[in-house]
Structures are given as C-alpha cells and as structure tokens.
Amino acid sequence: MALRAAFRNRRGVSGLLSQLSSCSSHVRVCVSPVLVAQQRSNSTSPKLKVDFDQSSGVAVMHMQSPPVNSLSLDFLTEFCIGVEKLEMDKSCRGLIITSSQPKVFSAGLDIMEMYGKSPERCGEFWKGVQEMWLKLYNSNMVIIAAINGSSPAGGCLMSLTCDYRIMADNPRYSIGLNETQLGIVAPFWFKDTMVNTVGHRATEIALELGLLYSPSEALKVGLVDLLVPEDQVLTTATQTMTKWLAIPDHARQITKSMMRKPTIDRLTSNREADVQNFVSFITKDSIQKSLRMYLEMLKKRRG
Ligand code: CO8
C-alpha cells in the first residue's frame, strides 16, 4: 500500500493503481483500452527509457539512473510502474532489461536508502524492493537480462529474476550477491532465487563469502547463461528473445509459474514479517556502522 501511495504522489496515477491492485500479473484481460493505447508509445521517464517494438512484441527497458543505476525508492517506483504497464499490454510478450550507464548494469540497492533513515522510510523502501522482485519473478513475459556491466547484490537479484541472462565478456565486470561483504545478510527470497538458479551448494558458498564472480566464473557456476562481446549483448538478447517467443505463451507461462510459484508464495505469505525483519535489522547500530564503513571504503577506493 505504501508503495502505491508513493506511486500516487509521484506520478498521479491513482487510476492506474486501482487497476493494478485488481489485476494479478497472470490476468491480462482487465486492461482498459485507454491504458493499452498509452502503453503502445515508447516512453521515457527520468530513470528509465522503454522502447517497445509492437511488431515483435518486445520491449527494451534501459536503466538510466546515474551514476550506477542504484535501486532507490524513486527508481523502484518508476521501474515497477514501467514493468506493470508492459505486463498489462497483451501485445507485449518479451522484455529485455539493460543499462544505459557505462560499465554498470546496476549497483544494487541504493545504500543511502538504508543508511541513517527512519524505520518508516526503511519499511517503505523495503516494500519497493519486494514489489520489484514480485513483478519480475512472477511475470508472464519472457524477461532477458542484457547485463552490460557490473551487477552486484540487488543488481544480481534483478538479473536472477529473469528467464535468461546474457553478460558482457569483460573481466572488469562482476556479478553476485555480495551482501555479507557489507556486513548484511541476503534475505531468504534473495537466497531462494539464487538456489533456484545455481543450486544449494553453490549458493551456500557464494552467500557466505559474499562472492562477486567474473563473467567467466559466473558462466561456469550457472549464474549467467551466455557471455558475448560487450557490443553484442543487446543484439544477442534480441536474437535469443525470438527463440523464446517461438514457444506458445500459455505453455511457457504455466511452466514458468510451476517452477517459481513455491518461491513466490513464501514471500507473499510473509511480506509484512519480512518488512519488519528488514527494518529491525537494518536500523541496528552495529549494522549502520557496517554500512558506514562500507560507504567509506567505496569513497576511498574511488580516491
Ligand atoms: N548505493 C548508493 N551509491 C552507490 C552504490 C550503491 N549501491 N554503489 C555505488 N554508489 C556510488 C558511489 O559511492 C559513488 O558515489 P560518489 O560519486 O558520491 O563517490 C558513485 O556511486 C560511483 O561509484 P564508483 O566510483 O564506485 O563507480 P564504479 O563505476 O567505479 O563502480 C560499482 C561501480 C562496481 C557498482 C561500484 O560502485 C560498487 O561496487 N558499488 C557497491 C555495490 C554494492 O555493494 N551494492 C550492494 C548494495 S546492498 C544490496 O543491493 C542488497 C541489500 C540487501 C539488504 C538485506 C538486509 C537485511
């Protein structure tokens, strides 16, 4: 509800939201003609650029939130609205997510949203993170991550929600759930998403050590599906999408849902408790101290 209030305040889309709340992502038939008409034009919001090609039914979402596409509440709000709009458009069958920022796909959750903030604000933020995961992991669309830069923590989570991951073969980039390196703990649904992708043992090692993998290591462990030269990430994603869209939607969607539903149900039946856990954890003095040290380390590394 809080995220919806945020949407309303920022974008003035209360009409849209009442439709969103009455439509599960698996029910596309409740879209009004007016809404569909709006969705068909390409759109640019400050933090996202969405190009929708109606002839192929594929949208490309470019994250463009400088400097590093960190996932702030503002970003998450725009992102969720963007995905939901595409989800509700029956003519959109595939989504490619990529970055317009050089060298970075997404730096993960915006650390400043977790540092020195009130418990209320932390709760709002966490609902936004949950909402992003639910929208992506539960989507009826084929979603491909075109990972054209580093993708730590929440950026890796975003990639993991996709059906297929294509990464730039550049050894300077890294991807992984590195939360323990910040002195924080990846929540159970981050862990579940990783387990569903690379298996239990690989996840256990990766999460305990907060591993950030190079592209070739990520390919080896199964964290990404394909490496290509940097300038071919998007074209390869587009070609791969054609293959996925050749499968009848209903059969693919039911299969996807069968694979993912138990994981999704675990969060949806524990959403409020998960928010409370996050808030009480992140506002602890010791955790705030770890975050401050990590932020200082980031600054020093830069200097
Ligand atoms: N949030 C906020 N600001 C960030 C973040 C971030 N995640 N990452 C980088 N920045 C800032 C930097 O501080 C820097 O700011 P400034 O210009 O003011 O000095 C600016 O962005 C640019 O950063 P860099 O100079 O480091 O940029 P590079 O291109 O050299 O490197 C990287 C890009 C690789 C993305 C690098 O910035 C990096 O490693 N960032 C940290 C990434 C990270 O560790 N993210 C983890 C976030 S936590 C998360 O996503 C899950 C949390 C789950 C919570 C569970 C609790 C219960």
Side-chain angles (χ1 to χ4, degrees):
M1 287 305 277
L3 184 64
R4 291 194 184 122
F7 289 170
R8 250 196 312 275
N9 294 339
R10 280 158 226 255
R11 305 252 117 216
V13 287
S14 53
L16 169 64
L17 285 165
S18 61
Q19 293 191 53
L20 299 191
S21 59
S22 62
C23 300
S24 92
S25 62
H26 290 274
V27 182
R28 290 175 167 203
V29 288
C30 55
V31 182
S32 78
V34 174
L35 195 57
V36 170
Q38 286 167 352
Q39 288 158 4
R40 285 191 174 161
S41 56
N42 292 356
S43 62
T44 307
S45 66
K47 297 176 194 303
L48 282 179
K49 179 169 158 290
V50 182
D51 297 324
F52 178 35
D53 176 355
Q54 289 180 54
S55 61
S56 64
V58 178
V60 181
M61 186 176 264
H62 304 261
M63 297 183 282
Q64 49 179 31
S65 182
V68 289
N69 288 332
S70 61
L71 309 176
S72 63
L73 182 55
D74 279 350
F75 181 92
L76 291 165
T77 302
E78 282 189 25
F79 186 86
C80 289
I81 290 174
V83 173
E84 188 69 37
K85 278 180 169 180
L86 296 170
E87 191 75 57
M88 293 201 303
D89 185 338
K90 274 191 278 184
S91 65
C92 184
R93 299 173 60 219
L95 170 63
I96 296 170
I97 302 176
T98 194
S99 165
S100 296
Q101 300 311 125
K103 302 187 292 178
V104 182
F105 179 73
S106 165
L109 304 194
D110 192 318
I111 299 169
M112 300 314 292
E113 294 279 14
M114 300 184 282
Y115 180 66
K117 293 287 188 292
S118 68
E120 293 71 27
R121 172 74 191 193
C122 289
E124 294 288 290
F125 173 62
W126 198 246
K127 285 176 196 167
V129 181
Q130 291 179 335
E131 196 68 24
M132 175 198 76
W133 181 83
L134 287 167
K135 291 234 178 307
L136 293 175
Y137 208 52
N138 206 15
S139 173
N140 268 326
M141 296 181 285
V142 173
I143 308 187
I144 294 180
I147 309 166
N148 51 351
S150 287
S151 197
C156 176
L157 179 77
M158 181 188 274
S159 307
L160 286 171
T161 61
C162 299
D163 298 280
Y164 201 77
R165 284 162 286 285
I166 299 167
M167 189 169 186
D169 192 5
N170 182 336
R172 280 178 304 170
Y173 299 159
S174 62
I175 182 166
L177 294 180
N178 61 323
E179 279 77 0
T180 54
Q181 290 195 32
L182 286 74
I184 57 180
V185 179
F188 71 87
W189 41 286
F190 284 46
K191 177 266 295 172
D192 288 346
T193 317
M194 178 97 161
V195 168
N196 292 350
T197 311
V198 301
H200 194 278
R201 181 61 184 144
T203 301
E204 186 171 1
I205 295 172
L207 291 197
E208 284 196 40
L209 296 176
L211 290 184
L212 284 171
Y213 296 95
S214 68
S216 59
E217 291 165 341
L219 181 68
K220 203 165 155 200
V221 77
L223 192 55
V224 299
D225 299 297
L226 188 64
L227 300 185
V228 295
E230 192 149 0
D231 60 354
Q232 290 168 30
V233 174
L234 201 49
T235 48
T236 309
T238 308
Q239 287 157 7
T240 306
M241 182 62 84
T242 308
K243 229 183 338 176
W244 280 72
L245 292 183
I247 304 297
D249 279 345
H250 69 282
R252 185 193 49 73
Q253 286 161 357
I254 293 168
T255 306
K256 180 172 178 176
S257 170
M258 179 175 70
M259 296 299 293
R260 296 185 173 197
K261 190 170 182 305
T263 307
I264 290 163
D265 288 349
R266 270 191 86 194
L267 178 61
T268 46
S269 56
N270 287 296
R271 263 187 99 162
E272 196 44 49
D274 182 62
V275 171
Q276 294 313 320
N277 278 343
F278 171 76
V279 172
S280 60
F281 179 80
I282 211 72
T283 53
K284 278 188 204 318
D285 287 346
S286 57
I287 302 302
Q288 288 290 304
K289 191 174 161 206
S290 294
L291 288 177
R292 191 178 66 239
M293 284 163 58
Y294 189 76
L295 283 165
E296 281 164 8
M297 184 279 289
L298 277 181
K299 285 232 176 309
K300 265 195 210 133
R301 203 175 61 179
R302 195 171 184 194

